[in-house]
Amino acid sequence: MTFTHSKFMAYVPANVPEYDYPRIIQPLFINFYHEKAEKVLKQRARKYLLYFDDKPSLIKIQTLKNKWGNCSKTNQLRFNWRVIMAKMSIIDYVVVHELCHTKYKDHSKAFWNEVQKILPDYEERKAWLRVHGDLLKI
């Protein structure tokens, strides 16, 4: 599969019936977005690291069933590859949210104050993700 000029091009063997296209093409889309997420999310995390003393011990992109991100007790960050389908302001919100968990392991007032220091409009971004997040799927 290739992506050029804002179009995906997938070549399906002629002997594959049309009803079977989604089974063949869906993994190609997932792989494309996963690779893009790997680059973009790590780059966005590097951008925001200057706000933090504690650095993540790992940044990993994977499929998370019901979360956009996760920060472990040892500051390992995991991001859902699907967030890459959102606009950059939403990606930044998810990245900053998880980076703030390197300092605060909960959703206390102190945690949200930290998020707000970096993203003063975080509540709008959070609301967008809550309302539209289900659309970020293949």
Side-chain angles (χ1 to χ4, degrees):
M1 185 170 82
T2 59
F3 181 74
T4 53
H5 306 296
S6 301
K7 292 182 184 179
F8 285 102
M9 300 283 282
Y11 300 95
V12 180
N15 64 337
V16 174
E18 199 170 317
Y19 66 82
D20 225 7
Y21 286 8
R23 181 185 60 81
I24 291 170
I25 294 173
Q26 186 180 32
L28 300 175
F29 275 104
I30 291 170
N31 187 54
F32 170 83
Y33 282 120
H34 196 283
E35 287 177 9
K36 185 174 171 88
E38 189 81 33
K39 293 176 189 165
V40 172
L41 287 162
K42 287 181 178 181
Q43 182 262 331
R44 301 312 284 178
R46 280 192 302 275
K47 173 186 176 181
Y48 288 103
L49 278 176
L50 62 102
Y51 293 96
F52 299 92
D53 295 329
D54 295 328
K55 307 295 183 223
S57 59
L58 171 81
I59 297 176
K60 187 169 183 168
I61 312 306
Q62 59 189 91
T63 300
L64 301 174
K65 291 188 183 210
N66 298 313
K67 295 181 178 184
W68 295 109
N70 177 279
C71 179
S72 73
K73 293 176 188 174
T74 58
N75 291 341
Q76 293 183 358
L77 301 185
R78 287 174 168 63
F79 294 104
N80 191 328
W81 63 266
R82 293 186 315 123
V83 76
I84 199 64
M85 293 184 274
K87 55 190 175 179
M88 195 60 69
S89 63
I90 304 306
I91 293 169
D92 285 351
Y93 164 70
V94 171
V95 168
V96 168
H97 181 110
E98 296 310 324
L99 284 170
C100 286
H101 280 309
T102 64
K103 189 171 183 179
Y104 301 99
K105 300 297 185 204
D106 55 21
H107 288 110
S108 64
K109 182 146 181 65
F111 168 83
W112 290 113
N113 287 341
E114 192 73 22
V115 174
Q116 189 171 33
K117 279 186 211 172
I118 301 165
L119 301 174
D121 66 339
Y122 85 88
E123 289 174 329
E124 294 160 29
R125 299 175 194 218
K126 180 181 175 186
W128 187 96
L129 196 54
R130 186 170 53 274
V131 171
H132 301 289
D134 283 348
L135 300 175
L136 304 177
K137 60 186 173 186
I138 296 175

